[in-house]
Amino acid sequence: MRADTGAAGAYFRSMQAALKGLRIYLADVNSPLYAHGLVGQVLVPYVDRLEATFNAWEHRVGFMERFRISRADSGFPVFQNVLTLENDRATAKERLAAMPEVDALKAEMADFILRHKQFPTALQEQIAERLYLEDIGKDAVFAPFILPETIRVSVNPKNGRPYYVVHWGVFDGSQTLPMVYMATIEDSSEAIAKSLVGADGKLNPGIDIPLPVGGLLNPEFARGFDASAERNGAYSLSPVTIAQNLDADFEHLHPKQLRRFVLGPFYSAGVTDNSDRISAILSKVRKDENAWLLTWTMQEVFSMTERPAKRGLWSSTPARDEYHINTDDLEATRQGVSDYQKHALVPHEAYQALYASGEAESIFSGFTVHVVSGNQVISEV
């Protein structure tokens, strides 16, 4: 996608509008999402990261010739853009130090125009590069892997184990999809129980835990958990496989619930061609900011029971969780989940166009639809 065709601008306008709409939805405590407790709270910072990332990419288009998106699949930028951004972050500070400030470049632009009666394209590109480097230097973009963070600590009253709620992010390279993971993990190690659990079986009030905590709360397993989460982050792995792999990697960590929020595909009029039918209808919408459709899937797998550890003279097996797969639902079985939800977010004008086409029912079959109208989102249309 070339920056001088106008397609890039249309794409960024529609994506920024979609992320703004998603933010409105996530902020609405009356939305269906809040039936899932912490999910809305967890997702907002990742939307912040996506917005910052797209702002940076938009600036990058101003000084680079090409910007490619996965037009026929996810509708998100191809993974090479994510890797390039990550590589540029490593040198952003040095490159910024060698460049004039934006105000100085703007003054130079004004002077150039007055003296030469021409537009200073090279200076404009320098400003775009400067803004790009400033954006990515803030360490708030959506990286290929965003390290886990602990946001809640409590104690399971049934077994006295501490448990953590942890989340992390992955931008999948093969499917070009941003994803957020969220897990509830019990910890059966003795040392951490002595520290966190009081005599009454509740969280020790004498321990001050300044949440959120970077990484898994238990430092004994934190680095290993980071590595395991990154190793098992691919979209191609089903949630049940990921939960089982995390369970197998640690004798004393027991994933009781795993959620995966998969953002996409994204449909943008005149840019993506992942659905000819949707694109043809969206192309009738007048403004780029209203000519899009964003979908996402929320997947969940939870433990039914925990097989106890077995100790013997010659061999032993650690405790392992058995996860529920909803075999009554063929799609849940295919996804490897206990439950899943499919959602679609669409501007009011685009929804009207889809409805008027007579295609809305088939396009949104199986989805919960959320319509953006101004600064509010109307759900379950």
Side-chain angles (χ1 to χ4, degrees):
M1 185 163 64
R2 301 182 69 90
D4 59 359
T5 62
Y11 175 73
F12 285 116
R13 283 191 294 274
S14 60
M15 179 61 81
Q16 294 290 7
L19 293 176
K20 179 184 176 182
L22 181 59
R23 175 187 294 285
I24 293 170
Y25 171 71
L26 293 173
D28 183 2
V29 294
N30 296 314
S31 78
L33 189 68
Y34 278 81
H36 295 274
L38 289 173
V39 174
Q41 174 189 329
V42 165
L43 292 176
V44 167
Y46 291 97
V47 177
D48 292 344
R49 286 177 175 272
L50 280 172
E51 286 185 324
T53 301
F54 277 95
N55 281 334
W57 277 332
E58 189 168 12
H59 288 311
R60 192 170 187 276
V61 168
F63 65 93
M64 298 298 292
E65 185 179 359
R66 294 183 65 83
F67 183 82
R68 293 179 58 233
I69 67 168
S70 177
R71 295 169 61 100
D73 295 304
S74 72
F76 279 82
V78 299
F79 191 54
Q80 184 57 50
N81 293 302
V82 183
L83 295 177
T84 299
L85 186 147
E86 190 71 1
N87 290 335
D88 286 344
R89 287 175 65 199
T91 59
K93 189 174 181 180
E94 292 76 9
R95 288 166 64 182
L96 281 170
M99 297 177 68
E101 296 286 343
V102 171
D103 287 345
L105 289 168
K106 286 182 177 179
E108 192 175 345
M109 278 184 69
D111 182 65
F112 184 96
I113 292 170
L114 288 172
R115 286 189 293 109
H116 299 282
K117 310 300 181 186
Q118 295 177 350
F119 189 80
T121 303
L123 287 170
Q124 184 187 41
E125 291 178 353
Q126 284 188 56
I127 290 176
E129 184 175 5
R130 171 92 202 184
L131 293 172
Y132 166 72
L133 293 171
E134 287 178 355
D135 282 345
I136 65 175
K138 295 172 184 175
D139 196 32
V141 294
F142 206 109
F145 177 66
I146 300 168
L147 287 166
E149 182 177 81
T150 301
I151 57 168
R152 177 172 288 184
V153 183
S154 192
V155 177
N156 184 340
K158 294 181 180 179
N159 57 22
R161 290 177 182 170
Y163 69 84
Y164 322 121
V165 177
V166 189
H167 63 83
W168 62 97
V170 175
F171 199 111
D172 184 80
S174 61
Q175 298 298 314
T176 63
L177 291 166
M179 302 182 296
V180 178
Y181 288 92
M182 181 176 173
T184 301
I185 298 172
E186 287 186 2
D187 190 336
S188 62
S189 57
E190 293 183 10
I192 201 73
K194 289 179 181 179
S195 173
L196 294 181
V197 184
D200 59 356
K202 298 180 180 179
L203 198 64
N204 186 346
I207 299 294
D208 181 27
I209 305 172
L211 297 172
V213 173
L216 192 75
L217 185 67
N218 189 337
E220 182 181 355
F221 306 125
R223 184 169 295 181
F225 186 83
D226 288 351
S228 183
E230 184 171 16
R231 189 168 56 247
N232 291 289
Y235 176 77
S236 59
L237 296 174
S238 67
V240 69
T241 298
I242 294 169
Q244 290 169 339
N245 289 348
L246 290 171
D247 193 25
D249 281 349
F250 304 95
E251 180 179 354
H252 296 292
L253 296 180
H254 313 276
K256 298 301 177 182
Q257 181 189 53
L258 178 76
R259 288 191 178 122
R260 179 165 70 181
F261 178 93
V262 183
L263 192 60
F266 175 70
Y267 306 88
S268 177
V271 180
T272 61
D273 50 20
N274 35 16
S275 170
D276 292 339
R277 182 171 55 156
I278 294 176
S279 295
I281 298 169
L282 291 178
S283 66
K284 299 175 183 177
V285 178
R286 186 166 50 89
K287 293 183 178 180
D288 300 327
E289 307 92 282
N290 295 325
W292 53 267
L293 168 64
L294 176 65
T295 64
W296 70 86
T297 303
M298 190 159 65
Q299 302 167 308
E300 177 185 3
V301 65
F302 59 82
S303 171
M304 290 189 302
T305 186
E306 182 182 300
R307 298 195 310 271
K310 293 181 179 180
R311 310 293 179 190
L313 289 174
W314 310 111
S315 65
S316 62
T317 56
R320 287 289 178 260
D321 281 275
E322 295 181 353
Y323 297 96
H324 170 66
I325 300 299
N326 184 4
T327 54
D328 292 333
D329 186 319
L330 291 178
E331 181 61 18
T333 304
R334 185 191 69 79
Q335 293 185 30
V337 295
S338 311
D339 190 24
Y340 70 94
Q341 296 178 4
K342 295 168 67 178
H343 295 261
L345 184 71
V346 60
H348 185 257
E349 188 177 345
Y351 181 76
Q352 285 184 316
L354 291 164
Y355 189 81
S357 72
E359 301 273 10
E361 185 174 349
S362 59
I363 287 173
F364 293 125
S365 177
F367 286 84
T368 299
V369 182
H370 314 282
V371 177
V372 182
S373 180
N375 288 319
Q376 64 177 348
V377 174
I378 303 167
S379 293
E380 298 187 35
V381 173

